[in-house]
Amino acid sequence: MNGRYKVEYLVKAGDSFWTIARKYNVGVNELARWNNLSPRDTLQVNQKLVVWKKQGSQNAVVRKVHYKVRSGDSLAKIASKFNVNVNQIRDWNSDMSDKYIHPGQQVTLFVNVTRSF
């Protein structure tokens, strides 16, 4: 999709097409179509949805980064280092079932490389 990047979203209790679409600033109908669903369908907890998220700005260059967790890292430290937030990291890594991260673990990030760090 032109100007967008893919995010896998894991449905949580209380989620609806409307709340997820609002979170990612996309349309409810778009979200349903990307997942071969109808906006009237019921979502299930732990159901995976694909979201094509819009890039932040016209000049943004977003790159997929595979970061290897180091000793002493936390999601907050990683988020701060790459100018993203913890919720984004969790959304991008739907396989993150553990509450904690571990050294050596691979974390996928989508980083705007045009921002200065």
Side-chain angles (χ1 to χ4, degrees), residues 2-91:
N2 201 10
R4 295 179 185 248
Y5 59 95
K6 180 179 171 182
V7 174
E8 286 188 0
Y9 181 80
L10 198 60
V11 175
K12 298 170 187 66
D15 278 343
S16 68
F17 278 109
W18 185 83
T19 58
I20 297 166
R22 188 168 169 221
K23 176 178 181 172
Y24 288 101
N25 196 27
V26 298
V28 170
N29 290 331
E30 281 181 308
L31 179 61
R33 187 176 63 246
W34 295 330
N35 292 281
N36 297 317
L37 298 169
S38 163
R40 292 187 181 102
D41 288 345
T42 303
L43 298 175
Q44 304 298 319
V45 173
N46 294 327
Q47 180 178 357
K48 283 187 182 180
L49 296 178
V50 170
V51 179
W52 289 95
K53 188 166 166 42
K54 296 174 185 172
Q55 292 184 358
S57 79
Q58 298 285 23
N59 299 325
V61 177
V62 176
R63 296 283 185 249
K64 185 176 186 177
V65 175
H66 296 285
Y67 179 79
K68 188 173 183 178
V69 176
R70 298 179 180 119
S71 183
D73 274 346
S74 67
L75 287 180
K77 281 184 181 179
I78 296 168
S80 177
K81 181 176 186 170
F82 290 97
N83 202 16
V84 297
N85 67 52
V86 172
N87 287 334
Q88 288 174 310
I89 295 173
R90 288 199 182 279
D91 289 346

